[in-house]
Amino acid sequence: MTTASDTPSVRDALRLVQDELAGAADGLQDDQLAALVTEIQQAGRVFVTGGGRSGLALRMHAMRLMHLGLTVHVVGETTTPAIGSGDLLLVASGSGTTAGAVAAAETAVSVDARVVALTTDGGSTLAGIAHSVVVIPAAQKTDHAGTASRQYSGSLFEQALLLVLDATFHTLWKVDGIPAEDLWPRHANLE
């Protein structure tokens, strides 16, 4: 049984998360990140999909891309149209083998859409389908050994995914040079 003196504090856990995120960020490949930005810039429309917390991170990214004025759709929503040629699918799966993510990528490729995969495994099925891959150096959710991350399940992947996507938005925003006050009117007013 763990005693109060053995239990790490929230501050200790925060330091662990920060340190692991810094390590993951340092392991990202600049050419992969640049390709992600280029794919978004060249897309007619952007579609996002991912399961669980990965999907939530992508939904947050979709919102930010919409703030930039891009046409963005979340796969699975009732108003999401068919993906087609000239479109981009951003798909995240830590393992790169999630059935829904792989199926979505296969469908996108079959209609001549582009696919960017964000995963921990550059040799995965999903990575093999994608036109561009961003490998996030983090543990998969089934890796319980604690060697790649001491956090629970796929937490580091999901956290790093969110930061990569936010940094991508920031880069696109700065490249476009749109003042923040011009983005503000695109924020939701029906909440």
Side-chain angles (χ1 to χ4, degrees), residues 124-188:
S124 67
T125 303
L126 181 61
I129 296 168
H131 299 92
S132 297
V133 179
V134 176
V135 176
I136 297 176
Q140 295 180 18
K141 66 182 173 185
T142 57
D143 178 7
H144 302 291
T147 53
S149 173
R150 292 177 36 215
Q151 297 182 65
Y152 176 73
S153 198
S155 293
L156 178 58
F157 171 73
E158 296 144 358
Q159 294 157 354
L161 173 64
L162 177 60
L163 293 182
V164 165
L165 295 172
D166 271 356
T168 299
F169 160 77
H170 186 80
T171 301
L172 290 164
W173 177 43
K174 291 304 177 181
V175 166
D176 284 351
I178 302 168
E181 54 272 8
D182 290 354
L183 299 183
W184 186 250
R186 295 185 185 127
H187 280 251

Side-chain angles (χ1 to χ4, degrees), residues 70-162:
L70 278 67
T71 301
V72 188
H73 299 285
V74 176
V75 173
E77 295 295 319
T78 57
T79 57
T80 301
I83 193 168
S85 180
D87 293 334
L88 173 65
L89 176 67
L90 297 179
V91 57
S93 167
S95 67
T97 60
T98 306
V102 170
E106 289 172 338
T107 298
V109 168
S110 76
V111 296
D112 203 27
R114 303 279 298 172
V115 175
V116 174
L118 299 111
T119 182
T120 64
D121 187 353
S124 67
T125 303
L126 181 61
I129 296 168
H131 299 92
S132 297
V133 179
V134 176
V135 176
I136 297 176
Q140 295 180 18
K141 66 182 173 185
T142 57
D143 178 7
H144 302 291
T147 53
S149 173
R150 292 177 36 215
Q151 297 182 65
Y152 176 73
S153 198
S155 293
L156 178 58
F157 171 73
E158 296 144 358
Q159 294 157 354
L161 173 64
L162 177 60

Side-chain angles (χ1 to χ4, degrees), residues 1-40:
M1 177 148 201
T2 306
T3 65
S5 63
D6 296 334
T7 304
S9 68
V10 173
R11 176 71 57 198
D12 292 338
L14 182 57
R15 284 190 194 101
L16 169 69
V17 171
Q18 289 173 317
D19 290 346
E20 288 192 354
L21 280 169
D26 288 344
L28 292 163
Q29 300 298 311
D30 290 336
D31 59 329
Q32 294 177 355
L33 297 171
L36 170 61
V37 169
T38 299
E39 292 279 6
I40 294 170

